[in-house]
Amino acid sequence: MPEPRVLLHVDGPVASVSLNRPEKLNGVDIAMLRELVTTARRVREDRSVRAVVLRGEGDAFCAGLDFASVMSSPSTIVRSFVPNPLRGQNLFQHAAWVWRELPVPVVAVVHGHCYGAGLQLATAADFRFSTPDARWSVLEAKWGLVPDMSGTASLRELVGGDVARRLTMTGEVLDGTRAHALGLVSGVADDPDVPARELVEAIIARSPDSVAASKALLNRTRHASPRRAFAVERRLQLAMLLAKNTAIARAANVRKEKPAFGERRFGR
């Protein structure tokens, strides 16, 4: 039986998800795309999970699409390229964007190569921490392609339009420090697991419903008019005012105690 392409380990409220093709620098093939979707679904269904840490096994986060493997079956490419009519995403896009759609925050920890599909997966996460010497690139330009695994949506909200055009048109390779300066990366550290864990600990100290609603609020209002954004705010705030975990947070704050939250109830 082949090794799983994606590993999932749940430790209390934190799910660790690892790309698991280290011998291929975690190059993405069709099997990995499918397992990314399946793994995200498992995380979504586990309401005890309150944050996800996404990383790569071995010497790289992800060196991009494994062209040799993917191109070996043209019929599979065609099927995988057709979008689902309900979500408007094909398999390539959904495998990355599904992490942005999760009702819990996703933190990518990046080392080594973060190219092409790897960059698009990392930018679909809510936060990214990188080693200073990690290599980031919208590498599709090298192959005469465009970013097509949700990169259009994630890249434009992280960097300015001119930077997005430059990276997409040139395939320029950035180290982690430069990627941070441009806004691609949330933080840089020799051991990026440390700031990632610190952020996760700060997040899981809050109500899981409030965190999920905050992510939903920012996702849903990203391109909304002020009127539409205010309507979404009102609906989500009403849901939080009525939430059991909000009452737990309020009572704990009054008593100056650490809240003992229940499972996440908000978000599918």
Side-chain angles (χ1 to χ4, degrees), residues 14-47:
V14 181
S16 293
V17 176
S18 300
L19 308 183
N20 188 40
R21 293 187 79 205
E23 75 285 357
K24 296 290 188 180
L25 297 178
N26 295 316
V28 174
D29 61 2
I30 296 296
M32 182 180 283
L33 293 174
R34 291 170 176 159
E35 288 189 31
L36 282 166
V37 172
T38 301
T39 302
R41 186 178 301 123
R42 290 171 61 191
V43 171
R44 180 186 291 274
E45 291 171 351
D46 187 346
R47 289 182 174 266

Side-chain angles (χ1 to χ4, degrees), residues 81-151:
F81 208 77
V82 176
N84 179 297
L86 295 179
R87 61 174 179 259
Q89 303 165 26
N90 64 25
L91 177 61
F92 293 93
Q93 295 162 333
H94 190 50
W97 200 246
V98 68
W99 301 95
R100 181 63 63 88
E101 295 176 326
L102 281 182
V104 297
V106 178
V107 183
V109 176
V110 175
H111 71 292
H113 298 323
C114 185
Y115 291 161
L119 183 144
Q120 295 181 71
L121 179 59
T123 55
D126 299 288
F127 308 95
R128 289 149 297 286
F129 292 94
S130 172
T131 60
D133 60 352
R135 310 294 282 173
W136 294 71
S137 176
V138 186
L139 203 62
E140 286 85 357
K142 178 180 178 180
W143 305 102
L145 301 171
V146 298
D148 66 340
M149 284 181 57
S150 78

